[in-house]
Amino acid sequence: VSEATQAINLVPNNPDYHSNLGLNFLDGLNVNPNATESAVASLQKAVNLDYKNPLYHLALGKALLAQARPDLAQRQFEASLALDPGQTNVYIYLYISLRRQGLIAPALEVLKTAKNTVVPNSSDDLIIDREIKALEYPTQPPESNFNQIINK
């Protein structure tokens, strides 16, 4: 964190430096759960400096999810996908943000779109299929483990 802060002090309008600082705060959430505010502030600055970078929107969305603000996270994930629609992991984060808002029908549509971004019959495809079935047939509990997809 101190190195990222020093870099920002030297070049305050470099969005990469703000993004790196925000990501450092996110990585440290296990140590300092209160770091989400700092992460959001740094990542928002990166987005403001370079709105066309989908990775900044993704990172800000993740920080907002960590703050339990899925509605604001949703906007960032949608912005990221508008800039680069091939990001399976962003569809999964968008799905999570919609589920946390109780928006099941839109969440299901997002999963169906995500399915089009993965290799058919791959492990990612099977994970998404299980979650779609759990939403379509709610008597089945969700079995998904999205970590495999979102951590790529």
Side-chain angles (χ1 to χ4, degrees):
V1 171
S2 65
E3 288 177 16
T5 303
Q6 288 174 350
I8 289 171
N9 289 335
L10 292 172
V11 187
N13 290 325
N14 185 318
D16 287 335
Y17 294 163
H18 289 280
S19 176
N20 288 340
L21 180 60
L23 292 172
N24 283 333
F25 283 124
L26 274 182
D27 288 342
L29 285 180
N30 292 336
V31 177
N32 181 5
N34 298 322
T36 57
E37 285 184 36
S38 298
V40 167
S42 294
L43 293 165
Q44 183 63 62
K45 180 74 174 178
V47 166
N48 291 346
L49 289 168
D50 185 1
Y51 192 80
K52 293 189 178 190
N53 188 321
L55 298 177
Y56 297 158
H57 290 283
L58 168 59
L60 178 56
K62 289 167 63 174
L64 290 164
L65 270 183
Q67 278 191 330
R69 297 166 71 186
D71 55 328
L72 297 177
Q74 174 189 346
R75 292 185 204 148
Q76 294 305 315
F77 299 138
E78 289 170 342
S80 183
L81 288 167
L83 294 165
D84 182 2
Q87 306 173 88
T88 304
N89 60 334
V90 181
Y91 284 106
I92 300 305
Y93 279 115
L94 177 57
Y95 162 76
I96 291 167
S97 70
L98 291 167
R99 282 291 307 259
R100 289 186 182 174
Q101 295 174 75
L103 303 172
I104 303 305
L108 180 59
E109 291 308 310
V110 166
L111 276 185
K112 289 177 179 178
T113 303
K115 187 170 171 46
N116 294 329
T117 67
V118 298
V119 175
N121 299 315
S122 66
S123 59
D124 291 353
D125 188 39
L126 298 175
I127 291 168
I128 292 170
D129 270 345
R130 278 195 303 266
E131 190 70 17
I132 288 171
K133 286 180 182 144
L135 287 176
E136 291 177 335
Y137 306 101
T139 55
Q140 297 179 352
E143 303 173 32
S144 301
N145 179 0
F146 287 123
N147 288 333
Q148 174 181 332
I149 299 172
I150 62 179
N151 291 325
K152 286 187 177 178

